[in-house]
Amino acid sequence: MKKGFIFDLDGVLCFTDIYHFKAWKVIADRLGLPFDEKVNDRLRGVSRMESLRIILSLGDKTYTDEEQLAMATEKNEIYRTLLNEMKPSDVSNEVRETLEELRNRGYKLSIGSSSKNTPTILEKTDLAKYFDAVSDGNNITHSKPDPEVFLKGAQFLGLEPSECYIVEDAEAGIDAGVAGGFTTIGIGPAAMYSKTHHPISTFKDLLNYAK
Ligand code: BG6
Ligand code: MG
């Protein structure tokens, strides 16, 4: 019997995935790399430095660790400028009402995001109040597809992985959920992924799994 839901943030609760794309595009364009939305899909759920490695692999030049760190730092500065514009209305009523209803039905809710910017996003969008726990890029050493962020989320909720659903838009996130022994629910690109246990087409469909 399930007792909790662990939510990815970017691309599930809010659409910061578009901001990630815009910020990486500045760096990729300057380097002359063919970075498009298809490549961007491969960055979903993976850490900042791993995202950069994927983008740089589009070309054949190598960069020192210092150069790579400078690029990732610049991307994050651009991304944070975009985040600054975020406001509560950037989260849909459908998401808010569904989170509220899951709480009313007695489920424990946690965030399970690779992003180190999670606290800023939760604050800007006024989403923090729905969650009993937050597991994010600041409390992990291995990013998705490693299950660490979800295992910590379950632990923070006091639940076993078998008692939690993972809600994800990324293949890397579904892989992480499966590896951790969770039941996965996929939305957006993850709804089309073969390893997803339960695909959904819209956020409120989650209520079908929360009797
Ligand atoms: C994930 C995003 O939520 O966070 C990835 O899907 C991103 O695209 C990762 O790379 C890390 O984010 P941040 O905010 O720590 O750079
Ligand atoms: Mg995501």
Side-chain angles (χ1 to χ4, degrees):
M1 154 119 183
K2 302 292 189 224
K3 297 180 179 166
F5 283 80
I6 304 178
F7 292 88
D8 175 51
L9 180 60
D10 294 318
V12 170
L13 299 173
C14 53
F15 295 101
T16 39
D17 45 344
I18 290 158
Y19 299 153
H20 280 295
F21 175 68
K22 284 187 179 166
W24 280 128
K25 187 95 178 98
V26 174
I27 309 291
D29 283 354
R30 188 193 303 141
L31 300 174
L33 298 171
F35 177 57
D36 58 17
E37 309 230 355
K38 201 154 180 287
V39 179
N40 192 53
D41 271 350
R42 291 167 52 202
L43 312 185
R44 287 176 192 276
V46 305
S47 70
R48 195 179 306 164
M49 293 310 291
E50 182 57 24
S51 296
L52 178 62
R53 272 189 283 277
I54 292 170
I55 292 167
L56 294 179
S57 75
L58 299 169
D60 44 23
K61 262 192 93 175
T62 52
Y63 297 90
T64 65
D65 288 352
E66 288 71 30
E67 286 169 328
Q68 291 189 39
L69 192 59
M71 289 176 204
T73 302
E74 185 186 353
K75 178 267 173 176
N76 194 48
E77 279 161 11
I78 301 165
Y79 177 62
R80 287 188 62 84
T81 307
L82 296 168
L83 286 187
N84 228 355
E85 304 299 313
M86 284 195 93
K87 47 196 181 314
S89 61
D90 288 329
V91 173
S92 69
N93 287 338
E94 179 183 358
V95 166
R96 287 184 191 281
E97 285 161 16
T98 304
L99 293 174
E100 194 70 58
E101 182 57 22
L102 291 174
R103 291 182 67 86
N104 290 342
R105 293 188 189 184
Y107 288 88
K108 295 254 176 258
L109 310 185
S110 175
I111 294 287
S113 167
S114 306
S115 174
K116 294 188 170 168
N117 290 296
T118 297
T120 305
I121 299 168
L122 293 180
E123 196 240 302
K124 285 273 182 198
T125 55
D126 194 26
L127 269 175
K129 62 188 180 193
Y130 300 102
F131 295 93
D132 303 287
V134 175
S135 176
D136 66 21
N138 300 296
N139 63 251
I140 55 169
T141 45
H142 304 291
S143 192
K144 301 168 189 175
D146 188 284
E148 183 180 8
V149 74
F150 293 140
L151 293 172
K152 292 254 169 68
Q155 193 188 322
F156 295 161
L157 293 178
L159 298 176
E160 293 299 322
S162 60
E163 295 175 308
C164 302
Y165 287 113
I166 297 299
V167 187
E168 262 292 348
D169 70 315
E171 293 190 1
I174 296 292
D175 288 342
V178 172
F182 296 88
T183 302
T184 59
I185 299 179
I187 191 165
M192 271 110 56
Y193 186 41
S194 58
K195 291 195 187 155
T196 298
H197 295 119
H198 302 290
I200 59 171
S201 53
T202 185
F203 197 83
K204 66 176 184 319
D205 291 349
L206 285 178
L207 297 175
N208 297 331
Y209 298 93
K211 301 295 180 197

